[in-house]
Amino acid sequence: MRSIKKMFSIVVVSAALVAVPLANASTTQEVVQTPLQQIVASLELTEDQKNEISSFIDKHQESRPVIDMEKVIQLKKEQLRLISQPKLDEPKLESLIDMIQGKEKQLLMDEMRLKNNIYNVLTEDQKTKFKSSLKSLILD
């Protein structure tokens, strides 16, 4: 159950890192930025950098898999079924865990690839600030 929750959390966090800003429910319609968007916005980018980073984010969003909630529910049910058996079917459980970890790995790889692409268009000063901001985000 933890693995599926972890996978779902990773999917949600990954999506949140690069999602299009959502409009706040207030009457002023303030835009809420994701942590990655806030970091990028703080870097004082040139127009060329903004365009290139925007292109990376667009490509990332287009290639990001759609979360199949039916599949997530099915995996949770399968996990519960395996847990509630008199004898644990370890090969099936291992297969289930491998599948979940494979999805987690791909999502993390995609996110790291995006951050690397962004990093590589920055100036040295921007790179230093970007790394520092990411470090704070990861460790806090």
Side-chain angles (χ1 to χ4, degrees):
M1 195 74 152
R2 283 177 123 189
S3 295
I4 292 188
K5 285 182 181 178
K6 183 179 174 186
M7 178 186 78
F8 186 71
S9 296
I10 288 174
V11 169
V12 170
V13 169
S14 178
L17 284 173
V18 294
V20 177
L22 301 174
N24 195 347
S26 72
T27 56
T28 59
Q29 294 297 316
E30 295 175 26
V31 175
V32 178
Q33 291 185 322
T34 65
L36 183 59
Q37 288 171 323
Q38 290 172 346
I39 292 170
V40 170
S42 73
L43 297 175
E44 300 173 20
L45 302 171
T46 66
E47 279 304 311
D48 287 342
Q49 287 174 316
K50 287 178 186 177
N51 292 335
E52 198 166 353
I53 289 171
S54 178
S55 172
F56 294 146
I57 291 172
D58 290 345
K59 287 177 186 170
H60 176 80
Q61 288 176 338
E62 289 170 8
S63 67
R64 190 177 56 229
V66 175
I67 300 171
D68 182 355
M69 290 309 294
E70 281 296 318
K71 184 72 170 173
V72 171
I73 292 169
Q74 180 185 6
L75 290 172
K76 287 182 178 186
K77 286 180 180 179
E78 179 62 14
Q79 203 170 31
L80 182 59
R81 189 189 70 71
L82 289 170
I83 292 169
S84 62
Q85 296 299 310
K87 183 172 184 329
L88 184 62
D89 186 345
E90 290 190 23
K92 275 196 175 183
L93 182 58
E94 187 173 336
S95 173
L96 183 66
I97 290 170
D98 288 344
M99 182 180 65
I100 292 167
Q101 287 179 336
K103 291 180 186 292
E104 290 173 348
K105 179 181 177 180
Q106 187 59 50
L107 289 170
L108 191 55
M109 289 290 295
D110 291 346
E111 181 185 330
M112 295 300 115
R113 197 172 292 114
L114 172 64
K115 289 176 181 176
N116 177 259
N117 287 338
I118 292 170
Y119 179 82
N120 286 315
V121 301
L122 302 176
T123 65
E124 291 306 316
D125 288 340
Q126 290 169 329
K127 286 178 180 181
T128 301
K129 188 172 182 181
F130 186 74
K131 285 193 309 190
S132 175
S133 296
L134 283 179
K135 182 178 178 182
S136 295
L137 182 64
I138 291 169
L139 297 179
D140 287 342

